[in-house]
Amino acid sequence: MASIIIRPRYQVAVGAMIFNDQGQLLLCEHTYRRLPPWGLPGGDLNFGEDPVDAVRRELMEETGLSVQVTRLLLVENSKEIHHLSLTYLCTGVSGMFVPNEEVSEIRYFDTNDLPDFFQEHLITIERTLAILKAEES
C-alpha cells in the first residue's frame, strides 16, 4: 500500500491598501460581515490566477474601481488557520463606486481614526503602515 502524505491546504487571499491624496485609507463596508463590517478590499485568489490580477478583479467586483499599479507590501502566514494573505499597495485608482451584494459603502479613513474591524485586518494595516513609513525614511 502506498503511503499517503497529507499536506495542509491553504486559502490564499489578496488585499488592497489604497490611499487618497490626504493619506487616508480606503475601507469597504462588507455586507456579509455583521460585526464589524469594515475591512480592506480584497478576497480569495482563484486557482491559477496571478495575484496582481486577483487584486484588480476583487477591487472591481467589490467597488467598481480599477487600479493601474500594484506592489506587494506584505505576506502573512496565519498561525491560527491555514491562510496566507498577500497585501498590495494600489495606486492609479479610477472609476465610480456602485453599491453591490458584497459592499454597501466605501470610505476613506484617517489611519489614526479607523472604524472597528477584524483584529487580523488591524494587524495587517499596522504592519503595512510600518513598512511604508520605513521606506520614507
Side-chain angles (χ1 to χ4, degrees), residues 60-122:
M60 180 59 70
E61 287 175 5
E62 290 187 353
T63 68
L65 302 176
S66 62
V67 294
Q68 292 179 344
V69 179
T70 61
R71 177 171 67 96
L72 182 63
L73 283 177
L74 182 65
V75 176
E76 296 171 292
N77 190 359
S78 174
K79 293 181 182 177
E80 290 80 37
I81 57 174
H82 297 278
H83 190 268
L84 188 69
S85 296
L86 310 173
T87 304
Y88 287 83
L89 176 64
C90 298
T91 59
V93 179
S94 62
M96 181 173 286
F97 173 69
V98 177
N100 57 71
E101 62 189 30
E102 287 187 68
V103 176
S104 58
E105 181 182 354
I106 63 172
R107 191 182 323 159
Y108 285 95
F109 290 89
D110 289 324
T111 56
N112 294 325
D113 190 26
L114 295 172
D116 289 334
F117 50 92
F118 289 115
Q119 184 67 24
E120 293 82 16
H121 281 216
L122 178 60

Side-chain angles (χ1 to χ4, degrees), residues 14-18 25-28 30 32-33 38-43 62 87 117 121 124-125 128:
V14 294
M17 296 282 291
I18 300 170
L25 179 63
L26 180 74
L27 295 178
C28 297
H30 296 273
Y32 55 88
R33 291 185 190 149
W38 291 97
L40 294 169
E62 290 187 353
T87 304
F117 50 92
H121 281 216
T124 297
I125 290 169
T128 54

